[in-house]
Amino acid sequence: MIDYLCTLKFIEMAHHKSAKKRIRQTVKRRLENRYHGKTTRNALRKYLGLSDKNEAEKSMSAVVAMVDKLAKRNQIHKNKASHLKSAVMRHLNALKK
């Protein structure tokens, strides 16, 4: 809701039609990026909290795919994605022992 109200304020400030469109596009992208980032963080948190090896093996590929998609969209750096995937694998290997 806050984003929407901020958007209205900025759209009123903009004088050109193209500027108003850019503001709408930016808001839409920001909301989508926030959704994907938050969903991935929650999935990682849930995965790292797992203590059952079978459940971890099932959800590992989904979590890694989410992290890869964030890196592909340039929401996170590729090195951070690599670091997160490494943490996922370390957690899985720790459960196997």
Side-chain angles (χ1 to χ4, degrees), residues 7 11 19-29:
T7 304
I11 287 177
K20 291 178 182 182
K21 181 178 178 180
R22 293 292 293 172
I23 291 169
R24 288 194 311 269
Q25 289 174 334
T26 303
V27 168
K28 183 179 177 183
R29 286 188 192 118

Side-chain angles (χ1 to χ4, degrees), residues 52-65:
D52 182 30
K53 183 185 80 158
N54 292 330
E55 278 187 53
E57 284 178 343
K58 287 178 186 174
S59 61
M60 186 262 311
S61 61
V63 172
V64 168

Side-chain angles (χ1 to χ4, degrees), residues 40-69:
T40 303
R41 281 196 305 274
N42 287 340
L44 265 169
R45 198 173 298 126
K46 184 178 176 184
Y47 175 81
L48 294 174
L50 291 176
S51 58
D52 182 30
K53 183 185 80 158
N54 292 330
E55 278 187 53
E57 284 178 343
K58 287 178 186 174
S59 61
M60 186 262 311
S61 61
V63 172
V64 168
M66 292 172 92
V67 171
D68 280 335
K69 284 179 187 173

Side-chain angles (χ1 to χ4, degrees), residues 8-36:
L8 288 178
K9 183 173 77 174
F10 286 120
I11 287 177
E12 289 173 4
M13 281 177 30
H15 294 292
H16 295 282
K17 189 176 180 181
S18 61
K20 291 178 182 182
K21 181 178 178 180
R22 293 292 293 172
I23 291 169
R24 288 194 311 269
Q25 289 174 334
T26 303
V27 168
K28 183 179 177 183
R29 286 188 192 118
R30 184 173 66 237
L31 291 175
E32 285 181 15
N33 288 340
R34 260 183 25 195
Y35 169 77
H36 291 300

